[in-house]
Amino acid sequence: MAVVGPLSVIFNLLLSLLVSHLHFTILTQGEGRWEDKYPFIREASTFSSFSDSYDYIIVGGGTAGCPLAATLSTKFRVLLVERGGVPFTNANVSFMQNFHISLADTSSTSASQFFVSTDGVFNSRARILGGGTCINAGFYTRAGPSYIEKAGWDSKLVNESYPWVEKQIVQRPNLAPWQEAVRESLLEIGISPFNGFTYDHIYGTKVGGTIFDHFGRRHSAAELLASANPNKLDVLVHATVQKIDFDTSGKKPRAVGVIFKDENGKEHKAFLSTRKGSEIIVSSGAIGSPHILMLSGIGPKAELEKLNITVVLDNKFVGQGMSDNPLNTIFVPTNRPVEQSLIQTVGITKKGVYIEASSGFGQSGDSISCHHGVASAEIGQLSTIPPKQRTVEAIEAYRRSKKNIPHEAFRGGFILEKIALPLSRGNISLVTTNPDDNPSITFNYFSHPRDLKRCVNGIRIVEKIAKSKHFTNFTQCNKETLDRLLNMSVQANVNLIPKHTHNTESLEQFCKDTVITIWHYHGGCQVGKVIAPNHKVLGVHRLRVIDGSTFKESPGTNPQATVMMMGRYMGVKILRERLGKAAGL
């Protein structure tokens, strides 16, 4: 509810304060104190270097790291180090309606770390316990059988590991009106059959799971730590790993510990047990994992020497093979406010694109009254960038274009098309030796012609949806209106790529000019090049990588389900390898 008129500012401020108070009450009292449920989570500064050594040290408490730590702790002593804080009392993380606000926060304490790829596309990487599950749109869907087979995974264990996640944090969504309209429109234009509510990845239109409950509260991978053995797990937050430490006296380097800084900047070292089978496991995400390997001396020799990093292992493939699934959107203004919704309905097409949708974020009070910036929710992208992160040129261009955006643009929803399996590849390279700094990241969007062709196919599908009869309840969308929407998206400066006018005459150019991210980047530590099929780093003892950096393709329509599953799956695999039948898993 929002009030307009002379008293609107005061009323909406009071309403906002009331909602914030209610949120705080729910977060701190609704399910008891989080400290009681997770007694093993503590600040990094409380760590003692004289602590016993660990059987497993996991670097990164994200989408894969949390289920992995929970699983391994059932049998062995585990240390999980996470550079961010806890999500449990962060209203921007915990509530769906604050999704875009969380992404807009680029302060040093934010759950998301802003970066701009060299392509000129705005992006975010998670910096919080729970990783990307704390800042994403919540959609949950499994990978298809062919993906599992291609990855060489044990399908029986995969089908046991997905439900382990689902029973704890996944729910069936209450379908919002915008999502219903997209569902019916997808079927109307032939994206069939309708497969109902399902986690399975199958052609047609479906409704997937969500990690948001019916109250709009997020349940992230951090909550999977509730399955851990609290007596065998230590979780340190605000622990920024500087590098992995190696013993290089033998034929192969051996990982022996990790060096990290706490929230006060003090340096600590955690030691790995000398017992056979003990390992350091890097689970810092598609950007973080290759970044940490390079800072630790594993990567292209010339690049490491350029920054005076001691070379532990020369591997030219670390940081290579990066890919991001390009996203293009059309914002459809409506004749009235629409309910907020994130991705619930998806169309899995045979043209190499996925169709998804969201609604209602541009019309919220903060979006309308705040000058969010070049990637604002109200003008064509879900994420927002505050003024400190803009270039002077971008600010001026945005201010000019915003004056021309009609007020109706603040009401409505997005129809999104995402390239399913992009063939374009990029890389990560070091800029500094400071682990807090982002590396240089390039995705080379649409460098492969087939990706561009699929994008054009996707935009044509979106056009059909926008003009379908099921959207007439929201807005009338003829060709003239649609052309206006396309050109408005170009003028809205959703990225730092140079713009071209009259993009409706060339959908190829529209794709290039308006490309954004859906945060599904992957690669950088791929199987056969950086790691073996068992995820052990090639050429090094006692070191693995387990996360999305190992993927050659992003699984399913949205990867979080498979990344969490992989954390559980690999945890069970490791325990079975080490304990055999005694693992009991």
Side-chain angles (χ1 to χ4, degrees), residues 416-560:
L416 301 76
E417 69 87 18
K418 163 193 166 183
I419 304 300
L421 304 170
L423 299 171
S424 304
R425 294 287 183 265
N427 62 82
I428 287 176
S429 60
L430 294 179
V431 178
T432 73
T433 57
N434 184 350
D436 291 319
D437 295 338
N438 288 311
S440 174
I441 304 164
T442 303
F443 293 118
N444 289 322
Y445 297 103
F446 301 125
S447 58
H448 196 290
R450 230 183 305 174
D451 291 346
L452 191 59
K453 182 178 180 181
R454 284 185 285 181
C455 178
V456 170
N457 289 336
I459 294 298
R460 286 177 177 149
I461 292 172
V462 172
E463 288 179 331
K464 291 178 182 177
I465 292 172
K467 292 187 289 188
S468 70
K469 65 181 181 182
H470 293 283
F471 268 93
T472 58
N473 288 331
F474 295 103
T475 183
Q476 287 73 41
C477 193
N478 53 30
K479 186 181 187 306
E480 182 180 345
T481 306
L482 191 60
D483 286 352
R484 180 165 166 256
L485 293 176
L486 289 171
N487 281 314
M488 188 171 73
S489 295
V490 175
Q491 296 166 6
N493 291 306
V494 294
N495 54 41
L496 296 179
I497 296 172
K499 305 298 179 225
H500 298 76
T501 56
H502 305 300
N503 273 259
T504 53
E505 297 175 10
S506 170
L507 290 183
E508 288 84 357
Q509 196 62 56
F510 176 83
C511 286
K512 291 178 180 179
D513 285 1
T514 65
V515 63
I516 55 178
T517 183
I518 196 168
W519 311 289
H520 294 170
Y521 42 80
H522 51 282
C525 294
Q526 292 177 339
V527 176
K529 295 182 177 180
V530 178
I531 64 169
N534 60 6
H535 287 248
K536 291 184 178 181
V537 175
L538 298 169
V540 179
H541 288 306
R542 308 206 311 168
L543 182 65
R544 298 198 203 215
V545 179
I546 297 175
D547 58 26
S549 70
T550 66
F551 293 159
K552 291 182 180 178
E553 299 171 349
S554 184
T557 60
N558 302 67
Q560 72 164 341

Side-chain angles (χ1 to χ4, degrees), residues 163-378:
W164 182 87
V165 174
E166 291 153 9
K167 288 174 184 176
Q168 297 183 73
I169 64 170
V170 187
Q171 299 196 32
R172 180 172 183 164
N174 287 328
L175 212 59
W178 187 263
Q179 303 292 331
E180 290 177 343
V182 171
R183 177 192 65 194
E184 296 306 316
S185 297
L186 284 166
L187 295 172
E188 179 186 333
I189 66 171
I191 312 299
S192 58
F194 178 55
N195 294 307
F197 168 73
T198 179
Y199 297 142
D200 293 337
H201 183 79
I202 39 182
Y203 287 119
T205 296
K206 74 166 194 172
V207 175
T210 179
I211 58 172
F212 289 104
D213 62 27
H214 294 166
F215 299 101
R217 181 174 175 179
R218 181 190 300 272
H219 296 273
S220 74
E223 294 184 26
L224 298 175
L225 292 171
S227 295
N229 180 344
N231 298 317
K232 290 182 177 291
L233 177 62
D234 288 330
V235 177
L236 299 179
V237 293
H238 299 124
T240 303
V241 170
Q242 307 299 295
K243 66 176 184 176
I244 299 162
D245 198 22
F246 293 94
D247 175 0
T248 57
S249 61
K251 290 183 179 180
K252 283 185 179 182
R254 295 171 65 252
V256 296
V258 298
I259 298 169
F260 64 91
K261 285 185 178 178
D262 64 26
E263 70 275 16
N264 301 317
K266 183 180 178 181
E267 196 168 275
H268 304 266
K269 183 173 180 180
F271 292 94
L272 192 62
S273 167
T274 57
R275 286 186 289 274
K276 184 180 179 181
S278 297
E279 294 176 319
I280 292 172
I281 303 174
V282 183
S283 296
S284 297
I287 294 169
S289 288
H291 190 203
I292 286 172
L293 289 186
M294 286 190 281
L295 292 177
S296 303
I298 299 177
K301 182 179 180 181
E303 185 174 345
L304 302 182
E305 290 180 337
K306 184 175 61 180
L307 292 175
N308 296 317
I309 297 172
T310 301
V311 179
V312 173
L313 180 71
D314 179 14
N315 186 328
K316 65 181 181 180
F317 296 112
V318 176
Q320 302 300 306
M322 291 294 300
S323 188
D324 187 23
N325 298 74
L327 178 74
N328 294 82
T329 73
I330 292 180
F331 184 88
V332 182
T334 58
N335 50 26
R336 62 185 183 276
V338 293
E339 179 184 334
Q340 284 185 329
S341 72
L342 289 172
I343 298 164
Q344 297 176 332
T345 298
V346 63
I348 301 174
T349 76
K350 294 185 178 180
K351 293 183 177 293
V353 295
Y354 304 136
I355 307 298
E356 301 174 352
S358 70
S359 64
F361 284 89
Q363 68 201 23
S364 63
D366 58 90
S367 289
I368 293 174
S369 61
C370 293
H371 189 49
H372 277 151
V374 284
S376 293
E378 68 266 31

